[in-house]
């Protein structure tokens, strides 16, 4: 059976979808990926994955969208895919329309966080809800990464309840395991990142450099913390895409400079060695205020035995158990973020207790094997064997 995954960018395919795709290939499915061209796509092609480069704009544009639908339809028809599985908001809409035009009998959508949420304006909420409701009509199965979105979808009548199912999110708990770390390599990594030798408390976050991931609030919180914790260092892990609708790196660097904390912050750019970089941290934070599904970065941090400080938004508040695996604070509030980080930084026993609980939670709830099993079951129910 032939399956096509559609997403907007190669980074999504490589970082978020590749574990699922590898698993499906191991089960003898034929799997293709359609997404915008870029260095990640070239890397995936070099590694033997079947990629169909298609420009998929991440901003709403009628002409660009029609072109994307046309090219996706051609790809689906020419390759005679049995199932199309779509991801990320705009690509998910365009991919489903293309799949319907192409006559695909099975269309699956993984919601990585519904695009309407607590922090949407009423206009945004209604618009995105309407788009999701209309495209649900041509969707056979909507998989959610969290339970909250399923509850919201049922309450609002987004689609018949039988179309909704929980997929969850997961990580490779063997790869993300502190026992794998090599102390010598960790020391070299720390030096290569330019972390001062005097830094004895390190806080990190992972995410693309966009405003909504909240790194600006982390920088403001850091400025409030450095007097009490003069040896504090911050790692901001992740880069900026040329296709990001809201480029943020220049603004973030200006904020760091204006607050005079350049010596306390390192922007690592994109990294391939996430477990090792997480291994340098004492605390992980994700101060996001965007439409998260269930953040993989939090799961990776918990798998590495790190305590987490995150925001009270969908997905984050499901992954983190308040005062058990971490602390949850209001979003877009650098004062409350600083207070929570100060609690963690002041208390090594608390950090260890939360970190141990987090590792246990990931192994019992968020092992990626559970996601593979659920996905296989849902595909089988749709007649994909």
């Amino acid at each position: 059976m032939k399956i096509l995954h559609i997403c907007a960018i190669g980074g999504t395919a490589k970082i978020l979808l590749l574990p699922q795709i590898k698993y499906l290939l191991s089960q003898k499915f034929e799997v293709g990926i359609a997404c915008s061209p870029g260095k990640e796509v070239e890397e995936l092609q070099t590694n033997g994955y079947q990629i169909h480069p298609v420009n998929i704009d991440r901003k709403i544009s009628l002409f660009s969208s029609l072109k994307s639908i046309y090219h996706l339809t051609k790809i689906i028809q020419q390759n005679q895919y049995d199932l199309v599985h779509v991801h990320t908001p705009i690509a998910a809409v365009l991919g489903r329309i293309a799949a319907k035009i192409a006559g695909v009998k099975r269309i699956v959508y993984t919601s990585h966080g519904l695009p309407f949420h607590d922090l949407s304006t009423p206009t945004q909420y209604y618009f995105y809800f309407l788009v999701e409701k209309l495209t649900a009509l041509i969707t056979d199965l909507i998989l959610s990464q969290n339970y909250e979105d399923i509850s919201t979808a049922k309450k609002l009548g987004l689609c018949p309840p039988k179309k909704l199912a929980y997929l969850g999110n997961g990580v490779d708990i063997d790869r993300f395991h502190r026992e794998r770390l090599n102390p010598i390599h960790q020391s070299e990594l720390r030096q290569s990142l330019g972390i001062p030798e005097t830094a004895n408390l390190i806080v990190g976050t992972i995410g693309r450099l966009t405003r909504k991931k909240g790194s600006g609030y982390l920088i403001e919180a850091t400025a409030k913390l450095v007097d009490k914790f003069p040896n504090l260092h911050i790692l901001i892990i992740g880069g900026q895409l040329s296709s990001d609708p809201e480029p943020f790196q220049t603004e973030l660097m200006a904020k760091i400079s204006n607050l005079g904390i350049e010596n306390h912050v390192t922007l690592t750019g994109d990294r391939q060695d996430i477990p090792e970089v997480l291994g340098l941290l004492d605390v992980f934070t994700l101060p996001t205020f965007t439409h998260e599904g269930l953040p993989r970065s939090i799961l990776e941090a918990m798998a590495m035995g790190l305590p987490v400080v995150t925001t009270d938004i969908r997905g984050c508040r499901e992954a983190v158990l308040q005062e058990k695996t971490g602390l949850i604070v209001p979003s877009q509030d650098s004062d409350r973020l600083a207070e929570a980080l100060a609690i963690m930084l002041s208390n090594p026993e608390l950090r260890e207790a939360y970190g141990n609980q987090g590792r246990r939670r990931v192994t019992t709830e968020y092992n990626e094997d559970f996601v593979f099993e659920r996905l296989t079951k849902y595909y089988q129910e749709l007649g994909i064997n």
Side-chain angles (χ1 to χ4, degrees), residues 308-313 316-317 320-322 326-330:
V308 178
V309 175
T310 192
T311 44
D312 188 15
I313 68 164
C316 296
R317 58 181 168 236
V320 174
L321 299 180
Q322 175 75 312
L327 298 174
I328 300 171
V329 299

Side-chain angles (χ1 to χ4, degrees), residues 109-114 142-151 164-169 293:
Y109 165 40
T110 292
S111 165
H112 300 257
L114 290 170
I142 297 173
L143 300 175
S144 177
Q145 289 194 317
N146 62 63
Y147 288 108
E148 190 174 331
D149 273 343
I150 293 175
S151 174
L164 294 165
Y166 175 73
L167 181 64
N169 202 350

Side-chain angles (χ1 to χ4, degrees), residues 72-122:
L72 287 168
T73 304
K74 274 182 64 177
I75 289 164
I76 295 165
Q77 288 175 331
Q78 287 170 356
N79 292 274
Q80 297 183 308
Y81 284 106
D82 300 294
L83 180 146
V84 169
H85 192 150
V86 297
H87 308 263
T88 62
I90 292 177
V93 171
L94 305 183
R96 281 180 280 181
I97 294 170
K100 193 67 179 175
I101 293 169
V104 175
K105 291 187 172 62
R106 306 163 188 90
I107 302 173
V108 177
Y109 165 40
T110 292
S111 165
H112 300 257
L114 290 170
F116 52 91
H117 52 88
D118 300 352
L119 300 173
S120 304
T121 65

